Amino acid sequence: YISVTGVQTCALPICPIVVTGSAGYIGGQTALLLRDLGYTVYGIDRREPPEHLRGVVERFLFQDFASDVALSWIAHYQPSAIIHCAGTSLVGPSIKDPGEYYNNNVVKTLKLLDTIRTKSPHTRFIFSSSAATYGIPPSGLPCQEHFATRPISPYGESKLMIEQVLQAYKVGYNLDFVALRYFNACGADPMARHGQEPNGTHIISRVLESLRDNKEFTLNGTNFDTVDGTCIRDYIHVEDIARAHMISLSYNIPAGIYNLGSAKGTSNREIINIAERITQRKLNLVEGPRRDGDPDALTADPAKFNALAGNWKKYSLDDMIRHAWNWYAR
């Protein structure tokens, strides 16, 4: 057993951890952390891993996670847990092509869950959910898990649908699950081994790529009801998300839904100021209109997870931006 922050979890070869989406941003960082800690990690992805992630997992299956091959593979290896990071994850494209999101995120995950409950019922299912399940929350309040969920995109709806399925499967089939509602995942591996792919969509990646390439950056919205007029969001380091996955392997974290965030909001102008200070570069900034559906503020209340996991977060916003810059500028 390996103990991290007082939580003991199985790390024996006889109980592998499967990470779906292990070639991606969050799945890749999760696989890296688990390997660093001595876990036996198997990966599944319909994309081949980028060069820097090759060899990270002990076994890799180049398949869609819901393919017959992948489902048979899972039934054969009987993993102690599946960390389900695979899925389609952008709000804007989900509005233009909702069928892809409902199919990839809902229909396929249902097939995976039915395999678990019938073929590997001891497996704990750790689900990558999203703050997008909340939609536009009450003004000025950090989101708590009991808040009403009113997603405003097919992406958010697809995540909420799986949460609802998980709760029903827990009651009906005793399926064991932890759903983690990430707020804004950012940063990169602290040792610059892994990070986001080019052309990321959230503000930190866009700002850093603009600074690196000396390109114009458009700030969407300067008339939000906030102190500096730009919207406020909550950020969490991708390595801290990976650590939350690891902690959720333990039954000290009961089945349920949990927010992952910092409990602190940061405005877009503050992000730009920090990025300029860390990179020692000046952003070529232009102001643009706000995007439809953008709330003034969206922040997490992570007290429920924190009460069980203790002092589990390691990285500040400065760390997030510095690590991301080290990755982008390598």
Side-chain angles (χ1 to χ4, degrees):
Y1 287 80
I2 289 175
S3 178
V4 179
T5 65
V7 177
Q8 287 192 332
T9 50
C10 182
L12 299 175
I14 59 172
C15 52
I17 310 300
V18 167
V19 178
T20 69
S22 62
Y25 176 48
I26 294 175
Q29 192 64 42
T30 298
L32 270 171
L33 177 69
L34 292 177
R35 186 200 65 177
D36 289 347
L37 294 174
Y39 288 83
T40 300
V41 187
Y42 295 175
I44 302 174
D45 206 305
R46 64 184 181 185
R47 300 186 309 164
E48 290 200 49
E51 186 174 349
H52 64 270
L53 287 179
R54 290 175 189 170
V56 168
V57 298
E58 185 167 317
R59 295 179 184 271
F60 177 76
L61 184 64
F62 181 28
Q63 286 278 325
D64 188 293
F65 71 86
S67 69
D68 290 343
V69 172
L71 298 178
S72 297
W73 198 72
I74 288 167
H76 173 74
Y77 283 113
Q78 297 281 301
S80 59
I82 294 175
I83 301 174
H84 186 40
C85 299
T88 322
S89 61
L90 298 176
V91 171
S94 78
I95 295 171
K96 295 179 180 178
D97 187 12
E100 166 66 13
Y101 281 72
Y102 293 126
N103 181 51
N104 201 35
N105 293 356
V106 180
V107 175
K108 292 181 181 179
T109 301
L110 274 171
K111 291 181 66 177
L112 175 59
L113 292 174
D114 283 333
T115 294
I116 292 169
R117 72 177 179 85
T118 57
K119 307 292 186 182
S120 187
H122 66 279
T123 295
R124 168 164 270 209
F125 187 76
I126 300 170
F127 177 55
S128 293
S129 192
S130 171
T133 57
Y134 290 111
I136 300 177
S139 179
L141 294 177
C143 293
Q144 298 178 345
E145 289 85 354
H146 64 80
F147 278 18
T149 45
R150 301 188 182 96
I152 58 175
S153 69
Y155 166 66
E157 289 172 347
S158 72
K159 292 294 188 179
L160 181 60
M161 287 176 183
I162 292 302
E163 287 186 0
Q164 293 167 336
V165 168
L166 289 171
Q167 292 178 96
Y169 275 35
K170 174 65 176 172
V171 173
Y173 308 121
N174 200 33
L175 185 138
D176 184 35
F177 80 95
V178 173
L180 301 174
R181 288 176 177 167
Y182 313 149
F183 279 62
N184 290 278
C186 60
D189 179 71
M191 292 180 278
R193 298 173 296 176
H194 176 59
Q196 284 196 296
E197 296 178 359
N199 303 312
T201 58
H202 72 60
I203 187 170
I204 292 176
S205 60
R206 290 172 51 227
V207 164
L208 292 179
E209 288 193 347
S210 296
L211 286 167
R212 182 195 62 193
D213 301 335
N214 195 27
K215 289 185 177 180
E216 186 177 89
F217 173 82
T218 301
L219 177 61
N220 295 114
T222 57
N223 62 343
F224 289 91
D225 185 18
T226 61
V227 172
D228 64 18
T230 63
C231 63
I232 291 173
R233 296 292 182 266
D234 198 339
Y235 298 89
I236 182 167
H237 198 295
V238 66
E239 173 87 344
D240 284 334
I241 290 177
R243 186 171 294 100
H245 287 157
M246 181 277 299
I247 292 170
S248 296
L249 299 175
S250 167
Y251 292 94
N252 290 354
I253 308 296
I257 297 169
Y258 301 90
N259 287 335
L260 290 187
S262 68
K264 178 184 177 183
T266 305
S267 76
N268 283 354
R269 285 201 190 276
E270 290 176 298
I271 292 290
I272 291 168
N273 291 339
I274 296 170
E276 288 181 333
R277 169 170 54 80
I278 286 173
T279 64
Q280 294 295 292
R281 301 188 184 196
K282 186 67 177 175
L283 189 64
N284 182 9
L285 178 68
V286 296
E287 295 181 358
R290 61 192 289 175
R291 298 172 300 187
D292 290 341
D294 262 354
D296 296 317
L298 183 61
T299 59
D301 181 348
K304 181 180 175 183
F305 190 80
N306 291 355
L308 297 165
N311 187 23
W312 63 278
K313 289 193 294 294
K314 290 182 64 175
Y315 297 110
S316 68
L317 186 59
D318 270 31
D319 294 325
M320 299 176 207
I321 294 176
R322 184 176 299 107
H323 293 158
W325 178 244
N326 290 342
W327 170 253
Y328 283 120
R330 71 196 188 284

